[in-house]
Amino acid sequence: MVNLSPTIELKILDPRLNNWGLPRYQTDQAAGIDLHACIDTPLTLAPQAPAVLIPSGIAVLMNNPNMVAFLLARSGLGHKKGLVLGQAVGTIDADYANEIFISAWLRTPPGSDALTIQPGDRIAQLVFLPILRPEFVLVETFSAQTARGLGGFGSTGV
């Protein structure tokens, strides 16, 4: 059984988070905690420029092989401003215990307005999920067939 309220150790690496707001769920039913841009000066991202690593000022220790954390864009910033993650989704493994960095990228087309991130801005979110770690059994053929079988891209129609 997966513990739906596990304890995770949280280390504050940037003391400014005490003023900006410690990582927390913004509403009672929020899926993720917002992460702040722990930068010293404003950072301007140009459209389509290479992704930039931004420190979050925190580290977490899950230390549980049945957990993972996903770093995701904040939906409002992604939709309205074009700020997304450079790798779409960042995976934080359960045994990673160093600072979490946010790979920020401005997806808007060339010629669009740049986006300036201020120190302390909430720019990404961290979502914790249970993870399955199956054991693999090598086989020559599968033990069962499915209705879809070997059908791939577009095989189920439009």
Side-chain angles (χ1 to χ4, degrees):
M1 183 76 181
V2 174
N3 178 1
L4 296 179
S5 295
T7 300
I8 296 172
E9 294 180 26
L10 173 70
K11 187 187 295 185
I12 302 300
L13 304 173
D14 190 320
R16 295 176 295 176
L17 289 171
N18 292 305
N19 295 328
W20 293 337
L22 296 175
R24 66 182 179 89
Y25 296 96
Q26 297 295 315
T27 66
D28 290 343
Q29 295 184 27
I33 59 172
D34 289 343
L35 298 181
H36 295 266
C38 290
I39 52 180
D40 294 327
T41 58
L43 173 65
T44 299
L45 300 177
Q48 300 293 313
V52 176
L53 286 177
I54 300 173
S56 70
I58 68 164
V60 297
L61 179 63
M62 293 173 273
N63 202 26
N64 178 339
N66 297 310
M67 288 187 69
V68 67
F70 288 137
L71 187 59
L72 305 169
R74 291 189 64 213
S75 56
L77 285 175
H79 179 72
K80 296 175 186 173
K81 303 288 185 178
L83 181 64
V84 295
L85 273 62
Q87 76 280 36
V89 174
T91 301
I92 311 299
D93 292 314
D95 57 352
Y96 179 75
N98 208 345
E99 183 167 16
I100 295 171
F101 284 85
I102 303 154
S103 177
W105 181 62
L106 193 58
R107 67 168 175 78
T108 53
S112 300
D113 291 338
L115 176 69
T116 300
I117 298 171
Q118 300 294 330
D121 281 356
R122 291 179 295 136
I123 61 167
Q125 61 181 319
L126 192 63
V127 175
F128 297 92
L129 295 169
I131 193 88
L132 298 176
R133 296 181 53 85
E135 292 184 26
F136 295 100
V137 176
L138 295 178
V139 299
E140 293 288 326
T141 59
F142 290 125
S143 62
Q145 294 182 6
T146 66
R148 184 175 185 171
L150 301 177
F153 297 99
S155 67
T156 60
V158 179

